[in-house]
Amino acid sequence: ENNTPQYDTNTYEFSYENGQVSKLTNLEEEGSYRNFEYDKDKKLIKTIEYYKNILITTVDLYYSGNFLSYSDTSEYGTVSRDYFHYTQNLLTMSCNDKLCSDTALNYMYTYNSANNIETLLYNKVDDAKDIFSYDQKINPFKEYNPYFKIMINNDFYLTLSQNNPVRMDYYSNGNLEESIIYNITYDNDNYPLTIEGKDAVTGEFKISYAFEYRTIKVD
């Protein structure tokens, strides 16, 4: 309010079973976490989300061949659907209506030669889109289960790309509305430790990420 930004902090802890993420806990909100269930082929088939120990969302995932085709989400007694579309093994569109009309378009992705998201189009009507450029270092989620990455992409830092964005330009109606520069520090293995996003013109703080890595053994 009154042009004073309010910022939230979220700290997540990952739990693993058989090399897959089994639980994602928000350490800032007691009793807030998500459980993840997989089939024998390590495909993600269900996510169950709790907020302050109250069940709020169950997502059942379905597949067409190897690809996640849509999810049914039950939240507070309502049911909604998201559809996922693929081109050459890459997620190219997700939308909340099977016709993906102009008004229902959710996200459309285009990729560069390194399989990084180059353009994210989320409104056909006014050509609202983000355009990204990247470093050549390792995205923390690069080796994660592909279906898990799709389901948490809105929570974390562009999990669908191979590398880490260093700049994002937001366009609307053909005009550049905002540019964000991401300054990144890395560990000795070229994984990001901290990421801080600031307005490229004003230097205003936008967002920051901090990562902690642990070695786990997979039987």
Side-chain angles (χ1 to χ4, degrees):
E1 295 180 1
N2 299 322
N3 295 319
T4 302
Q6 301 294 316
Y7 297 101
D8 294 325
T9 299
N10 295 292
T11 304
Y12 293 93
E13 181 178 74
F14 292 73
S15 301
Y16 297 83
E17 290 183 9
N18 302 317
Q20 303 291 340
V21 177
S22 59
K23 186 176 183 179
L24 189 62
T25 303
N26 185 348
L27 299 182
E28 308 294 334
E29 292 282 359
E30 185 177 355
S32 298
Y33 57 93
R34 265 180 287 179
N35 291 328
F36 299 89
E37 298 179 9
Y38 303 83
D39 67 11
K40 60 181 178 62
D41 296 319
K42 295 186 177 182
K43 292 180 181 178
L44 184 64
I45 57 174
K46 185 186 290 286
T47 70
I48 306 171
E49 184 172 0
Y50 293 84
Y51 177 71
K52 296 184 177 179
N53 293 313
I54 298 174
L55 175 63
I56 61 170
T57 305
T58 300
V59 180
D60 294 295
L61 309 181
Y62 304 88
Y63 293 87
S64 176
N66 287 326
F67 298 135
L68 181 64
S69 56
Y70 66 89
S71 63
D72 282 353
T73 304
S74 176
E75 184 173 1
Y76 303 114
T78 63
V79 177
S80 61
R81 285 188 175 183
D82 286 317
Y83 292 79
F84 301 92
H85 301 262
Y86 300 84
T87 302
Q88 296 180 342
N89 295 354
L90 296 174
L91 179 67
T92 51
M93 181 181 292
S94 62
C95 59
N96 54 20
D97 183 277
K98 63 182 178 180
L99 298 178
C100 291
S101 65
D102 287 347
T103 56
L105 175 68
N106 190 358
Y107 296 110
M108 180 181 294
Y109 307 89
T110 63
Y111 294 81
N112 62 20
S113 58
N115 286 345
N116 289 315
I117 294 172
E118 190 170 50
T119 302
L120 170 56
L121 176 66
Y122 45 91
N123 193 327
K124 289 181 181 178
V125 176
D126 60 6
D127 194 29
K129 61 185 176 183
D130 296 333
I131 298 178
F132 297 91
S133 55
Y134 294 84
D135 62 11
Q136 294 182 330
K137 305 296 178 66
I138 304 171
N139 186 302
F141 299 96
K142 180 179 179 180
E143 302 299 333
Y144 272 57
N145 181 294
Y147 314 110
F148 174 84
K149 292 197 296 184
I150 290 171
M151 297 309 298
I152 66 165
N153 189 56
N154 290 337
D155 298 81
F156 293 100
Y157 185 64
L158 210 65
T159 66
L160 299 178
S161 292
Q162 301 294 304
N163 304 113
N164 307 291
V166 295
R167 182 184 177 99
M168 185 276 289
D169 295 312
Y170 167 67
Y171 287 83
S172 179
N173 292 316
N175 298 315
L176 178 62
E177 299 289 341
E178 183 180 49
S179 295
I180 298 176
I181 300 294
Y182 297 100
N183 295 310
I184 307 175
T185 64
Y186 306 89
D187 66 12
N188 292 333
D189 295 317
N190 288 325
Y191 286 89
L193 288 172
T194 62
I195 302 171
E196 184 174 68
K198 292 184 177 181
D199 188 284
V201 177
T202 67
E204 177 188 0
F205 171 81
K206 294 295 182 180
I207 195 168
S208 65
Y209 300 85
F211 297 92
E212 177 184 339
Y213 302 98
R214 299 179 185 177
T215 300
I216 62 172
K217 291 184 178 180
V218 180
D219 296 330

